[in-house]
Structure formats: C-alpha cells, structure tokens
C-alpha cells in the first residue's frame, strides 16, 4: 500500500469492522434547515483540480475542469467536539467507532492499556487499531476531550457525519462546493492563501513538521488537532481548510470522475465504495503525502474512522435564509 493508492492519513476500517457487520445505526430525525455557523457563498464558476501537476495519479486530481455552482452555505469551521456532544446528548447517537469497538490512533499519541492495542494498519504501521478509541477518547481509554471542546471532533465516519448533518438541519458539502469554498476566492492557487506554504516564514495550517512518522517538531504549534479557529480564515471566511482534520464530502469517489464531470453543480458518481475526503490533516507531510493542497483529494470507506477524520456541513441557499439563521 502506498500513499498514491490508499488514503494517506486515514486507514480504512479493519476487516472486523466492515460495512454490513453491524446493522445500520438508526438515523436522527431531520431538524428544520439551519445556517447557524455558516457563511453564504455566491457560487459561480471556477477551475477545479490540480493546475500544478503535483497530485498522485491515482487520486484523479486532473484534468482541471470548469465548474459552475449555485449559491450555497458552508460551515466556517469543522464541527467541534462541543457541537457533536450536543448532537449525541439529544439523539443518543452511537458512532461507528463505538459500535465497532476500536478505531485508528496515530502511534505516537496512543493512551491506552497494552491490552487495548490490537495491531497496526496494513501498509501504514504508524496507525494503531486501539480498542475503546472513539470521539470522546481520541487516543484510547486513558484519554478524553477535556480542554478540547473547540477542537474538531474526530473518529467520525461518513455515516456519523451524515447523521449529524441531518440532525443539524444541514447536509455534507459536495466535493465541488468544498473546493470552491476552500479556495477562498483565489483562482488556480496551490493553497487557500496562495502558492507559498509558509509566507513570511509563518505556518498557515496544521500539518506535520520534522521526519514522518517518528519526529514531529510541532513548529506550527500542534502535534495533533488544533482549535477550529486557528491560524487565519481564507478569503471566504472559512477556517482550517488545509490540514488539521480530513473532512468528509457527500460524493462517492472515483479517480476518473473529473474526465466527464458535469459542468453545473457536480455531485460525484452515482455509486462507489469510498467517499471523498478533502483538506488533509495534521499528519500530512510532503515527504509522503502533500494532500494539504487545495486541489488534493482522497477517500475512505463510509464506516471508517481515525484520529484525524472530521467534517463540516453545508446547506442549499435557495430557501429562506433568514428563517434558517433564526433557528
């Protein structure tokens, strides 16, 4: 398994936790549409894809193609532990990681008894399958989220993210919406802030510094997740669209989709086995994974979870926005 063929920073669910092993979790009742915590974007045309030829061929970041989007809303930040806790408290939702009994934790931060360490991910030994790791205990049984209310929730599967979005009166963004929003109005740039990774010598995102996967110098101030309003927002007012946590999109993934993607409001292939992930995470490093670029894409199975998988929500903008903001 190479970074070109697997999600670079997020292993797929283990064989013991495949789709169908457990019955689907009951979904929460849909709430009225809400644009709480979202920014409204005007839509319009943009060039989607990798204009620099820096992507992995198996990720399908090319060809660069014209896309036109209707206006839409999108969360200004990834969903936090505090917001996810409110969802769980009201609905009783049990995440896939909790139902499966384990989730993937980066090897340097495991906080669990030895008996809870169930093995390494195939082809990515820096990922440890840890019994009892889930969103409330992100590093294992000896960890918790005290002091991390404003950090992005992690160990959430695509299915968990979709359930939260339904409860919140929102939906997951399409991949095209995500890239348009992440670009912040900058056309054809490598990152959400321009083409240079550290303009003026300053870090603008939470990724790995040092020698992956053993030494993280944390020059950007963080070893794992950062608060959702770290660094600076992009030109559209979105925070942390590069690094920090991978973010689920609504689309099924196909590496060949860009070749015949519709121009107007593409929603991805009609079927698939994995869902799109965008944005990279705190584990991305250019020595093996440069997917913190704004055009970069990855994917994983809908039931997979790990310590760097999160999400943000979106919404249509063709309803009464004032009513949504008041909810």
């Amino acid at each position: 398994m190479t970074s070109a063929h697997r999600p670079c920073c997020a292993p797929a669910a283990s064989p013991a936790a495949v789709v169908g092993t457990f019955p689907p979790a009951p979904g929460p009742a849909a709430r009225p549409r809400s644009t709480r915590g979202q920014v409204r974007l005007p839509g319009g045309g943009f060039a989607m894809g990798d204009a620099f030829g820096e992507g992995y061929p198996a990720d399908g970041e090319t060809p660069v193609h014209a896309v036109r989007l209707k206006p839409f809303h999108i969360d200004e930040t990834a969903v936090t532990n505090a917001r996810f806790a409110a969802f769980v408290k009201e609905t009783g939702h049990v995440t896939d990681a909790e139902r499966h009994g384990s989730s993937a934790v980066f090897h340097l931060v495991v906080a669990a008894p030895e008996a809870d360490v169930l093995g390494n991910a195939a082809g990515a030994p820096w990922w440890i399958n840890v019994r009892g790791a889930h969103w409330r205990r992100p590093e294992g049984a000896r960890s918790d989220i005290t002091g991390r209310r404003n950090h992005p929730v992690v160990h959430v599967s695509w299915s968990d993210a979709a359930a939260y979005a339904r409860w919140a009166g929102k939906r997951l963004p399409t991949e095209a919406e995500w890239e348009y929003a992440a670009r912040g109005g900058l056309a054809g740039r490598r990152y959400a802030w321009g083409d240079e990774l550290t303009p003026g010598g300053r870090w603008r995102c939470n990724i790995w510094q040092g020698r992956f996967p053993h030494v993280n110098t944390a020059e950007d101030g963080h070893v794992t997740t950062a608060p959702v309003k770290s660094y600076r927002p992009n030109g559209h007012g979105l925070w942390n669209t590069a690094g920090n946590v991978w973010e689920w999109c609504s689309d099924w993934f196909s590496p060949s989709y860009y070749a015949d993607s519709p121009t107007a409001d593409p929603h991805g292939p009609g079927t698939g086995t994995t869902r799109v992930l965008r944005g990279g995470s705190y584990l991305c490093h250019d020595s093996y994974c440069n997917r913190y670029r704004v055009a970069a894409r990855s994917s994983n199975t809908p039931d997979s979870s790990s310590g760097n998988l999160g999400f943000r929500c979106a919404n249509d903008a063709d309803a009464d926005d004032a009513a949504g903001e008041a909810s």
Side-chain angles (χ1 to χ4, degrees):
M1 177 174 69
T2 70
S3 61
H5 293 89
R6 289 295 313 137
C8 65
C9 301
S14 68
V18 296
V19 176
T21 302
F22 298 89
R31 296 177 72 178
R33 178 179 177 277
S34 172
T35 57
R36 175 182 178 179
Q38 297 190 319
V39 296
R40 187 183 190 278
L41 300 184
F46 78 108
M48 184 173 180
D50 171 28
F52 297 90
E54 296 172 335
Y56 301 103
D59 288 351
E61 295 179 23
T62 57
V64 176
H65 56 290
V67 170
R68 179 164 293 278
L69 298 174
K70 294 180 295 188
F72 64 99
H73 290 264
I74 191 165
D75 289 353
E76 59 182 355
T77 73
V79 173
T80 63
N81 283 313
R83 290 298 300 158
F84 200 79
F87 159 62
V88 170
K89 182 178 180 180
E90 182 171 315
T91 65
H93 180 82
V94 179
T95 62
D96 279 337
E98 292 169 288
R99 283 149 49 82
H100 295 157
S102 65
S103 191
V105 179
F106 188 67
H107 73 115
L108 295 183
V109 298
V110 172
E114 186 175 348
D116 287 349
V117 176
L118 305 179
N120 306 72
W126 48 85
W127 280 114
I128 310 297
N129 188 25
V130 177
R131 180 187 291 116
H134 53 79
W135 73 275
R136 284 194 184 94
R137 300 190 178 279
E139 290 82 48
R142 293 174 177 164
S143 67
D144 57 40
I145 54 173
T146 301
R148 289 188 267 187
R149 285 177 53 81
N150 293 322
H151 285 233
V153 65
V154 294
H155 293 288
V156 287
S157 68
W158 183 93
S159 301
D160 298 325
Y164 173 94
R166 178 176 171 83
W167 168 82
K170 301 178 180 181
R171 59 172 173 79
L172 295 181
T174 67
E175 182 178 20
E177 288 174 337
W178 193 98
E179 183 170 323
Y180 173 90
R183 288 187 176 278
L186 297 181
R189 295 300 185 92
R190 181 177 283 112
Y191 307 113
W193 53 87
D195 290 333
E196 186 180 352
L197 180 60
T198 54
R202 295 175 179 268
W203 286 99
R204 299 292 300 271
C205 62
N206 177 18
I207 57 176
W208 186 281
Q209 296 89 45
R211 182 171 54 86
F212 187 86
H214 301 294
V215 179
N216 187 348
T217 60
E219 293 172 18
D220 60 11
H222 305 282
V223 173
T224 60
T225 58
V228 296
K229 287 192 174 181
S230 298
Y231 309 102
R232 299 179 185 175
N234 71 8
H236 288 323
L238 274 65
W239 300 77
N240 293 349
T241 57
N244 214 23
V245 294
W246 282 103
E247 298 182 8
W248 291 108
C249 294
S250 62
D251 308 39
W252 290 111
F253 174 81
S254 168
S256 62
Y257 183 67
Y258 283 10
D260 56 5
S261 172
T263 300
D265 295 297
H267 285 74
T271 60
T273 59
T274 61
R275 297 282 187 174
V276 171
L277 288 163
R278 282 303 202 114
S281 84
Y282 59 83
L283 292 177
C284 284
H285 184 267
D286 63 7
S287 67
Y288 96 113
C289 168
N290 65 350
R291 293 183 176 96
Y292 42 85
R293 296 167 296 104
V294 74
R297 58 202 304 252
S298 190
S299 69
N300 214 331
T301 57
D303 67 328
S304 291
S305 63
S306 66
N308 65 343
L309 286 184
F311 68 104
R312 74 180 72 209
C313 297
N315 233 322
D316 296 338
D318 58 354
D320 186 347
D321 292 339
E325 291 167 354
S327 64

